[in-house]
Amino acid sequence: MTMKKKMTILFTGILAALLSSGCAETAEPFVPETHPAYAEGEGGYLWAHMTHNNYYKLFYAVSRDAFNWTTLNDGQIIDMAYEGHPDICLGPDGVYRMIAVHPLRLYSSRDLVTWTKTPLDPEIFEREREYGYTSVSDYGAPKMCYDPRGERYIITWHASKGMNEDGTAYNDWDTMTTFYVTTKDFETFTFPQKLFPYFDGDDKDMAMIDTILREVDGKFYAILKDERKVDVPLPLGSPDTGKSIRICTGDNILGPYTNPGPPIVGSNKMWLEAPIFVELPHGSGYAIFMDSYHESPFGYIMFRSETMEGPWLYRNIKGPNVLDGTDRPGAVHGCIVKGDGKYMAIAAASILAKTHRDK
């Protein structure tokens, strides 16, 4: 048995005991009632995220119920080489994948411990210029999901029409829109297409970012941030929906989708972005986590619903606890993936990462 395997088994056992023995961080639930949770061996959730003061860096937290989170690796960075908006996608081949943006690379792993890093051609995204759009500094925070019906991966990102006189691109938030490509092998990619070219009425040509696609019970949902201003009228602003998270529905994963519904949060006075969608344990409903970035409380907050049609109700969570020297502890801009039987291997990954870094 290799030393790495021995360490994996050792730290898997340590973390299993940690999460089941009532340690200080998990002994008293943050909310008074108990929540349906996965038992040991059934799996759990991994939250991969960055922090406000460590933008683009990778941190881990784990949970069995999606409400109470245990921060891993002593709140330290997991992979010093990774820079991006972490969005981890599990493929049918058992490989986890995410995209780094500085430089642009595909990260691939079977255990979330060891990552293979493959360069990606910027032209995958930059061909959006054919529509008059340009890639922003982080390639529009690429998000990825697997479409089992089409046996393909779908990558979404946002781009803008911002262009300086010297030909360099800038983030023009008033013109952001969502593009997508598909790939079966990460070697050939389709030509970029706009995901929502057909919104009409007040939402026609709306600025948007952070779009994620999910399938629930045979129906497809696009969850996005309405990027428009809240203090100016249409078309650049939308006082009722700007800076909020909204949901579109469709019968196919690439659309067409309905116009976005109302903000999940009843008022858009709290500015929200970077949605994360989670199916809760044992059919107990759904949760959407949203990143509050304009005013306190900062960081991710959770809204839960028994159905995808809502209502989405605010719920307290004990989220990741990462102190980064700012007034915004915890997670910003990330993703949550279910670990299934690999839960303990996922959890051990962060401890192994710290062990490797400290050598």
Side-chain angles (χ1 to χ4, degrees):
M1 182 181 296
T2 67
M3 179 59 68
K4 183 175 180 180
K5 289 183 178 178
K6 289 180 180 178
M7 291 176 65
T8 300
I9 294 172
L10 173 62
F11 286 114
T12 295
I14 291 174
L15 194 62
L18 180 69
L19 292 180
S20 62
S21 63
C23 65
E25 187 166 359
T26 59
E28 296 181 3
F30 187 69
V31 290
E33 71 270 23
T34 59
H35 302 283
Y38 292 111
E40 184 175 350
E42 287 185 327
Y45 302 97
L46 170 75
W47 193 335
H49 64 88
M50 62 177 79
T51 75
H52 184 71
N53 203 36
N54 289 286
Y55 211 73
Y56 295 129
K57 294 301 184 180
L58 182 65
F59 297 83
Y60 277 174
V62 290
S63 175
R64 293 198 190 278
D65 62 8
F67 285 83
N68 297 280
W69 293 87
T70 299
T71 303
L72 298 178
N73 203 26
D74 294 331
Q76 301 301 307
I77 296 169
I78 296 299
D79 186 320
M80 295 299 293
Y82 179 83
E83 290 198 6
H85 289 244
D87 189 64
I88 299 173
C89 174
L90 175 61
D93 54 359
V95 176
Y96 295 91
R97 295 178 175 88
M98 64 179 176
I99 295 175
V101 297
H102 297 145
L104 188 62
R105 295 186 292 186
L106 178 70
Y107 273 53
S108 305
S109 176
R110 289 190 176 275
D111 58 8
L112 296 167
V113 178
T114 302
W115 292 92
T116 299
K117 302 158 188 178
T118 306
L120 290 174
D121 187 349
E123 281 291 293
I124 295 168
F125 303 102
E126 292 178 357
R127 289 181 295 178
E128 71 217 357
R129 61 180 173 270
E130 298 296 326
Y131 304 90
Y133 287 80
T134 58
S135 294
V136 294
S137 58
D138 56 5
Y139 295 94
K143 311 289 191 294
M144 183 167 23
C145 68
Y146 182 73
D147 170 26
R149 299 188 187 190
E151 298 181 339
R152 59 189 172 178
Y153 296 86
I154 301 172
I155 303 172
T156 58
W157 74 97
H158 47 263
S160 79
K161 293 183 177 180
M163 185 67 71
N164 295 309
E165 292 183 359
D166 62 1
T168 58
Y170 71 92
N171 297 346
D172 178 12
W173 300 104
D174 292 335
T175 61
M176 288 289 181
T177 196
T178 300
F179 283 90
Y180 75 88
V181 295
T182 69
T183 182
K184 292 179 178 290
D185 54 12
F186 294 93
E187 295 181 359
T188 59
F189 297 82
T190 59
F191 196 87
Q193 301 285 332
K194 285 187 177 182
L195 186 57
F196 309 109
Y198 38 74
F199 287 167
D200 56 18
D202 289 348
D203 294 323
K204 182 177 176 60
D205 297 325
M206 63 175 280
M208 71 188 83
I209 65 171
D210 293 343
T211 301
I212 59 174
L213 305 177
R214 296 295 184 267
E215 180 180 3
V216 179
D217 296 331
K219 193 171 183 178
F220 297 94
Y221 298 85
I223 306 171
L224 56 84
K225 178 195 177 185
D226 186 333
E227 181 56 34
R228 291 176 292 186
K229 295 181 173 68
V230 299
D231 53 356
V232 298
L234 291 167
L236 293 181
S238 183
D240 295 328
T241 65
K243 311 303 181 185
S244 70
I245 304 300
R246 306 172 67 189
I247 301 178
C248 316
T249 60
D251 295 325
N252 296 286
I253 194 166
L254 293 178
Y257 284 93
T258 62
N259 274 35
I264 292 175
V265 181
S267 168
N268 64 339
K269 291 181 180 179
M270 178 180 289
W271 295 5
L272 303 166
E273 60 187 4
I276 301 173
F277 174 77
V278 174
E279 295 190 36
L280 296 173
H282 305 306
S284 57
Y286 308 94
I288 296 179
F289 296 74
M290 310 174 214
D291 188 353
S292 170
Y293 66 96
H294 182 61
E295 60 186 23
S296 182
F298 292 115
Y300 272 102
I301 56 177
M302 179 206 225
F303 288 80
R304 178 190 177 276
S305 176
E306 294 185 359
T307 71
M308 289 299 296
E309 284 66 43
W312 296 90
L313 304 177
Y314 172 79
R315 300 303 301 274
N316 286 326
I317 63 169
K318 185 180 180 183
N321 181 21
V322 179
L323 300 177
D324 66 356
T326 72
D327 61 349
R328 305 184 183 196
V332 302
H333 281 57
C335 70
I336 297 173
V337 292
K338 186 169 182 298
D340 295 322
K342 299 181 180 179
Y343 174 67
M344 284 304 160
I346 292 172
S350 66
I351 302 176
L352 285 172
K354 183 179 186 302
T355 302
H356 295 162
R357 185 180 66 251
D358 289 346
K359 287 183 177 179

